[in-house]
Amino acid sequence: MNIKMHSRWHELEAQEVLSVLNSSRHGLTAAEAARRLAEFGPNELVEKRKVSPWMIFLEQFKNFLIIILLFALVLSAVMGEVADAIVIFIIVLFAAILGFVQEYRAEKAMAALKRMASPTASVLRDGNEVEIASRELVPGDVVLLYTGDYAPADSRVLEAVNLKMSEASLTGESTPVDKVTEPLPNSVSIGDRRNMVYMGTSVAYGRGTAVVAATGMATEFGKIATMLQAVETEKTPLQVNLDRIGKWIAVAALSLTFVLAAVGVLQGHTILEMLIWGVSLAVAAVPEALPAVVTISLAIGVQRMVKRHALVRKLPAVETLGSTTVICSDKTGTLTQDQMTVRRIYVDGKMIDVGGVGYEPKGKFSSGGQDYEPLKDAHLEMLLRAGNLCNDAHLVAEDSRWRIKGDPTEGALVVAAAKAGIEHEDERSRYPRLSEIPFSSESKMMTTVHKIGDSQVAYSKGAAEIIIERSHRLFQNGSESDLSGAEREKILGTTQDMASQGLRVLGLAYKPVLQAGDVIDQSLVFVGLVGMIDPPREEVKDAIRRCNEAGIKSVMITGDHKLTAVAIARELGLLKDGLAFTGAELDELSDKQFEDVVERTEVYARVSPAHKLRVVEALGRKGHVVAMTGDGVNDAPALKKADIGIAMGITGTDVSKEAADMVLTDDNFASIVAAVEEGRGLYDNIKKYLMFLLSANLGEILLMGGAILFGGFFGLGGALPLIAIQILWVNLATDGLPAIALAADPAAPDIMRRRPRSRNETIFTRPVIALMLTAGVWIAGVTMGVFVWAMKAGKEIEETQGMVFMTLIVFQLFAAFGFRSDRLSLFRIGLFNAKWLIAAVLVSFAMTLPLLYISFLQEVFHTYPLTASDWAIVFGTSITVLPVLEISKLIIRRVGRSPAVAEVTG
């Protein structure tokens, strides 16, 4: 018989669910389970067909610039330039291996998701409890759930005995969820389906039974896996820009080189000579070190970020973070401590504030702005004692950190008592528990009876309205009195006020037990209210402010309740004039309606994984570069879809870490701001390298082209300013160490006062192009002047080429300092803070000196020992590039700033 599958099991009565699934409370027979296993397949997550590692590796060679480099490698080898061919080969291989490692690691997300599934399950088969592999579960199986178990499949609860499920990894809910057996309305979200348990969540307390409704890819967990696999990984802005730059440079350089070589042949040079010369010029013109320098830049950025508690898994993400316009952050554990904390206590008609955050038992009590001694107030002491004794949680210190064993809500009460000086273990030993009525989702309260001296006292805690309803008397003004209707209404009003502040409110009461058989959870004496919340991290408020200064919008996306989310958002300064939506409200909006409000929305509450993905996609369609932070399984699809996914290193699941581009090792939102700074600095450094490299290449091409095309006007007789090997050495000396040093340059002082770059903005902004053209033309023009002067002065061709050779190298080494910014003066940035660039320039210069003073190298490189006057000409002409670049930057600043460097105002 085919089973009628149902998508809304939470709407049905438990018996109706069993009927639809053709099952019973005694479970399935072994034979029926085997038949259904064949029909529905194993209860496991299915991956798409994997791409083989070899294919991932070969994919790296589709990059256009890599293809051109391979072509240059072959030509260099054929022409006998073996050393250059080896260098190009190493660079190509290094870039390919690095790309392979990044992509191969990204494929591990599904494996991590699988590991979170429960390996075994306790089920009823033929009426007997047996343990089976969870992959053998089928719809209709009845599973037994005990404290500490993982739910092996999506199931409808049949029986719940104080059953609480930890669903943070799926829904983002920070506290365990009470489970019930009654049907629920069809409109409730996943986080509110309290009669369902979901694969991958765990039993925090109690026990229960449930009938399996969905297995494998049909579970909510499986839907996340489907979304995770369906998400397409887009190229980062840096990758798109570099591909475009590589193609443009390669085509332009090869075309121009071909033309110049052809003209050289027409002027009388041999075909072989010009072919070697052309290949050398092409290799110099094509930035073959671009992939390596970009990789080195990213690697340096990664090292810096590790020191600032951010671990990058995918290198291009460092740059992408620098252009982020929106950060979508989960609340629990990311913006907050993930440690329930008592904030306010209402007792004896007054409100008392409790200081401190998290589970550390430190914090002051205050009322009306004045310090308050908790143990000098009998009412407050009674409330704290009730919360501490009617409690199963324990406060422990492990590895210099305080943590709670047990329910977080109960833990908050234990910590509040400890802040007042009530040591929970001593108190419980002094007043031993005699009996109890445990918490249940039906009663919504818990009561314990303790021996206090020669008497017995019952202490109760629970939902505020329940405790108030069961209280007939009030402990106030030092004595007990009847709880009047007016007092009852006042307490209920206070409860609502505290709840509107995002606090979770509990009521506490007590009752003297006069004789055996007394009903201990009725006719209580009301003591007070406790309001608690998962508090914000102290440093996050400042981090959000810095994000605002940097032009980055912060958005909260959480599975928690709207009131709580809004309260936390307002406290952090995240929610000001923006909108707040729940997942249910989001479902009522069409895609067009949502896109109209998405940029004004700052808080999303009670959302599902699909909602998170929808938010990220809507922001993407509006042109935003989106960063998504999260720590749970529910965040994985959005982490992968976002331009940069940021997972939590301490509390994050393996799934979220594998799907993310970056992991925060301290789970601190503030570390994102540091990562933004590093990302922006990295992009700036790659831009510096490109300006430096391309202006130098432009200068070389203009110099060589000008000599070939216009040499006749100067009576140069077809002489070349540089020979092939000199071109290659200039390429090695200037494209190597100085370029790498620029990749490690310190960030500009205004780096965090700029608006994020546009997603579509190219590296080649107007200031960048202007500076490159200015420097390239100046270097070519002045070096050409040195060439013409030397020829006219009667120097031998080898001496002339040696003079031009050194002038060009020194010119480019000076230019490296001028390109440390495309808009700020070198005097503003500072010279001596660029220690790596200074060292690189000195080493490159020192590497070239042997070519001038060692005899056999002089013959090979067409050089000679320069005289003092020659050196004066070399340095006197070369240093002029610095004032030229400074004047160009001054003009650029006065004419107007590029959108890339506009400062944030207001």
Side-chain angles (χ1 to χ4, degrees):
M1 178 184 293
N2 288 328
I3 295 175
K4 175 186 175 184
M5 298 310 294
H6 201 285
S7 61
R8 292 178 173 174
W9 302 102
H10 60 281
E11 298 177 39
L12 306 179
E13 293 283 353
Q15 191 57 46
E16 190 177 357
V17 173
L18 289 169
S19 177
V20 171
L21 291 167
N22 290 339
S23 185
S24 73
R25 291 181 182 271
H26 302 294
L28 302 174
T29 65
E32 176 62 14
R35 189 194 66 74
R36 294 188 185 188
L37 184 61
E39 179 181 351
F40 294 104
N43 176 39
E44 60 187 7
L45 304 182
V46 180
E47 295 184 56
K48 284 184 177 180
R49 184 182 176 186
K50 285 187 175 181
V51 180
S52 72
W54 276 111
M55 287 303 298
I56 295 176
F57 181 71
L58 292 176
E59 283 285 322
Q60 310 306 314
F61 293 91
K62 288 187 177 180
N63 181 288
F64 186 76
L65 186 56
I66 295 292
I67 293 172
I68 293 298
L69 290 175
L70 290 173
F71 179 71
L73 184 154
V74 172
L75 280 181
S76 298
V78 170
M79 293 298 109
E81 302 295 337
V82 177
D84 201 62
I86 292 173
V87 171
I88 296 174
F89 174 76
I90 292 172
I91 290 171
V92 169
L93 188 63
F94 180 63
I97 289 174
L98 210 78
F100 163 77
V101 170
Q102 293 170 38
E103 291 192 26
Y104 186 72
R105 288 182 65 190
E107 295 298 318
K108 293 180 179 178
M110 281 303 299
L113 197 57
K114 278 187 166 182
R115 286 196 297 273
M116 277 201 68
S118 175
T120 62
S122 296
V123 301
L124 294 178
R125 290 277 173 89
D126 297 314
N128 299 315
E129 180 177 345
V130 295
E131 188 170 288
I132 64 172
S134 62
R135 69 183 303 276
E136 296 176 8
L137 279 177
V138 294
D141 262 326
V142 174
V143 296
L144 291 86
L145 302 168
Y146 301 102
T147 301
D149 287 351
Y150 273 95
D154 288 5
S155 309
R156 171 65 161 84
V157 178
L158 300 177
E159 180 188 14
V161 181
N162 302 322
L163 181 62
K164 295 184 180 184
M165 299 294 295
S166 177
E167 298 183 345
S169 64
L170 181 68
T171 66
E173 177 67 59
S174 56
T175 56
V177 178
D178 296 316
K179 292 300 174 179
V180 299
T181 59
E182 296 81 8
L184 299 170
N186 62 13
S187 60
V188 297
S189 65
I190 290 174
D192 293 319
R193 293 177 188 174
R194 299 193 298 122
N195 58 8
M196 298 289 295
V197 294
Y198 295 102
M199 174 190 274
T201 62
S202 62
V203 181
Y205 190 80
R207 59 182 176 82
T209 61
V211 59
V212 174
T215 59
M217 300 301 283
T219 63
E220 293 299 325
F221 219 79
K223 292 173 186 176
I224 292 174
T226 301
M227 287 188 285
L228 196 57
Q229 296 181 93
V231 170
E232 295 293 329
T233 304
E234 301 173 3
K235 284 190 174 183
T236 69
L238 179 63
Q239 289 172 313
V240 172
N241 279 331
L242 292 184
D243 282 348
R244 187 186 304 126
I245 292 166
K247 291 176 182 178
W248 180 82
I249 292 172
V251 171
L254 290 172
S255 301
L256 186 57
T257 298
F258 176 79
V259 171
L260 293 178
V263 172
V265 171
L266 294 176
Q267 289 181 346
H269 296 279
T270 66
I271 294 177
L272 181 60
E273 178 190 3
M274 293 312 296
L275 185 58
I276 295 174
W277 181 87
V279 168
S280 301
L281 185 59
V283 170
V286 174
E288 73 275 8
L290 181 58
V293 170
V294 169
T295 297
I296 291 168
S297 300
L298 290 165
I300 291 171
V302 166
Q303 291 171 1
R304 287 176 173 173
M305 291 173 72
V306 166
K307 293 177 182 178
R308 303 181 78 172
H309 308 292
L311 176 64
V312 174
R313 295 186 63 254
K314 301 169 187 176
L315 290 181
V318 184
E319 175 272 334
T320 310
L321 189 63
S323 62
T324 297
T325 58
V326 179
I327 298 176
C328 296
S329 173
D330 190 29
K331 176 185 71 68
T332 304
T334 308
L335 298 172
T336 64
Q337 301 267 352
D338 196 18
Q339 297 180 348
M340 290 298 288
T341 304
V342 172
R343 278 283 186 84
R344 312 197 80 189
I345 295 174
Y346 177 74
V347 67
D348 195 23
K350 55 181 173 288
M351 193 67 72
I352 297 172
D353 296 311
V354 184
V357 292
Y359 293 148
E360 185 176 10
K362 290 182 179 180
K364 291 184 177 181
F365 291 74
S366 62
S367 181
Q370 300 295 317
D371 286 351
Y372 200 81
E373 291 292 338
L375 298 186
K376 291 183 178 180
D377 183 335
H379 306 83
L380 180 55
E381 184 179 4
M382 173 67 79
L383 180 140
L384 293 172
R385 173 171 292 128
N388 184 57
L389 293 177
C390 185
N391 200 312
D392 291 322
H394 298 270
L395 177 65
V396 296
E398 291 182 357
D399 300 325
S400 301
R401 294 182 62 188
W402 292 93
R403 72 180 191 88
I404 289 294
K405 285 186 177 180
D407 184 85
T409 300
E410 291 193 324
L413 295 173
V414 170
V415 173
K419 289 176 181 177
I422 299 175
E423 210 292 312
H424 63 292
E425 298 296 349
D426 288 347
E427 189 90 348
R428 291 173 189 179
S429 298
R430 188 179 305 120
Y431 308 122
R433 182 182 300 184
L434 302 177
S435 63
E436 67 180 289
I437 300 176
F439 180 91
S440 71
S441 54
E442 288 78 14
S443 68
K444 296 185 179 179
M445 63 180 292
M446 174 183 179
T447 301
T448 58
V449 179
H450 297 263
K451 183 175 172 45
I452 309 291
D454 295 329
S455 305
Q456 294 182 17
V457 178
Y459 295 103
S460 296
K461 75 170 189 301
E465 62 275 12
I466 299 297
I467 297 295
I468 295 168
E469 179 186 333
R470 297 200 180 193
S471 297
H472 291 174
R473 294 176 68 75
L474 173 67
F475 183 45
Q476 188 170 281
N477 297 323
S479 62
E480 296 179 15
S481 60
D482 289 337
L483 182 58
S484 66
E487 287 288 356
R488 193 180 300 273
E489 290 301 316
K490 179 182 178 182
I491 296 169
L492 286 171
T494 303
T495 301
Q496 293 172 357
D497 289 343
M498 293 172 73
S500 68
Q501 299 167 26
L503 299 175
R504 182 178 184 183
V505 185
L506 297 183
L508 290 109
Y510 72 93
K511 178 182 181 179
V513 180
L514 301 178
Q515 60 187 12
D518 275 359
V519 179
I520 60 174
D521 59 352
Q522 297 286 354
S523 301
L524 306 175
V525 181
F526 184 81
V527 179
L529 303 170
V530 172
M532 60 184 67
I533 198 169
D534 180 12
R537 289 178 177 270
E538 294 179 2
E539 64 277 6
V540 167
K541 190 171 185 178
D542 182 64
I544 290 174
R545 179 188 59 78
R546 291 196 66 200
C547 282
N548 291 336
E549 289 179 354
I552 300 169
K553 180 182 177 67
S554 301
V555 175
M556 179 191 292
I557 307 183
T558 178
D560 219 334
H561 294 279
K562 185 175 181 179
L563 275 177
T564 304
V566 167
I568 293 291
R570 289 197 189 281
E571 185 172 347
L572 288 172
L574 186 150
L575 178 63
K576 294 178 180 176
D577 302 322
L579 305 175
F581 284 102
T582 63
E585 292 167 343
L586 208 57
D587 288 334
E588 296 175 1
L589 300 179
S590 67
D591 287 343
K592 177 64 172 63
Q593 289 173 321
F594 182 41
E595 285 189 30
D596 290 342
V597 298
V598 68
E599 291 183 302
R600 293 185 289 123
T601 305
E602 294 170 336
V603 174
Y604 299 90
R606 305 304 283 171
V607 294
S608 69
H611 292 133
K612 294 191 175 191
L613 198 56
R614 188 182 179 194
V615 171
V616 172
E617 289 173 340
L619 287 168
R621 286 193 295 271
K622 298 293 282 188
H624 289 283
V625 177
V626 183
M628 167 73 185
T629 71
D631 57 3
V633 176
N634 59 327
D635 297 320
L639 287 175
K640 192 171 182 182
K641 179 62 180 177
D643 296 279
I644 175 164
I646 308 169
M648 301 297 110
I650 298 172
T651 59
T653 60
D654 285 349
V655 180
S656 63
K657 292 175 189 176
E658 292 292 346
D661 302 283
M662 186 175 82
V663 178
L664 300 182
T665 58
D666 61 351
D667 284 14
N668 195 334
F669 185 89
S671 298
I672 298 174
V673 180
V676 168
E677 183 176 354
E678 293 296 341
R680 291 186 174 191
L682 171 82
Y683 192 86
D684 262 14
N685 287 350
I686 291 175
K687 186 163 62 175
K688 296 172 191 177
Y689 161 73
L690 282 172
M691 288 191 296
F692 166 64
L693 174 72
L694 297 183
S695 66
N697 289 1
L698 177 63
E700 293 168 23
I701 291 176
L702 290 178
L703 171 64
M704 305 304 292
I708 288 179
L709 298 176
F710 307 111
F713 293 103
F714 300 105
L716 301 179
L720 297 174
L722 298 172
I723 61 173
I725 197 167
Q726 287 177 327
I727 296 173
L728 292 173
W729 184 266
V730 171
N731 185 50
L732 175 65
T734 59
D735 289 6
L737 292 177
I740 293 173
L742 283 174
D745 208 37
D750 67 339
I751 196 76
M752 289 300 287
R753 293 194 300 274
R754 309 178 191 175
R755 292 193 181 278
R757 300 181 310 276
S758 165
R759 180 195 294 270
N760 300 319
E761 180 186 304
T762 177
I763 289 178
F764 293 115
T765 58
R766 289 181 181 177
V768 170
I769 294 173
L771 289 176
M772 284 195 306
L773 289 175
T774 300
V777 170
W778 184 261
I779 290 171
V782 174
T783 308
M784 178 66 107
V786 172
F787 178 48
V788 172
W789 168 83
M791 291 292 288
K792 296 293 186 181
K795 288 182 178 286
E796 296 292 333
I797 185 63
E798 288 83 0
E799 292 182 348
T800 299
Q801 289 172 335
M803 189 84 169
V804 171
F805 174 62
M806 281 309 303
T807 301
L808 190 59
I809 287 177
V810 177
F811 237 132
Q812 293 182 10
L813 294 179
F814 274 125
F817 290 98
F819 282 119
R820 292 188 62 212
S821 172
D822 61 341
R823 60 188 291 268
L824 297 179
S825 166
L826 182 59
F827 301 104
R828 168 94 184 270
I829 299 171
L831 175 63
F832 297 105
N833 61 345
K835 58 181 181 180
W836 292 112
L837 181 58
I838 293 171
V841 165
L842 292 175
V843 170
S844 295
F845 182 74
M847 285 168 53
T848 307
L849 289 179
L851 309 185
L852 306 180
Y853 298 104
I854 298 176
S855 300
F856 77 91
L857 292 177
Q858 292 173 0
E859 296 178 10
V860 174
F861 283 90
H862 282 212
T863 58
Y864 72 102
L866 268 63
T867 63
S869 60
D870 292 336
W871 279 117
I873 293 171
V874 167
F875 278 95
T877 55
S878 300
I879 202 170
T880 59
V881 72
L882 291 178
V884 167
L885 286 174
E886 287 298 301
I887 292 170
S888 300
K889 291 178 192 178
L890 179 62
I891 294 171
I892 288 169
R893 290 196 297 272
R894 290 187 174 180
V895 169
R897 297 187 179 97
S898 160
V901 294
E903 291 187 351
V904 176
T905 58

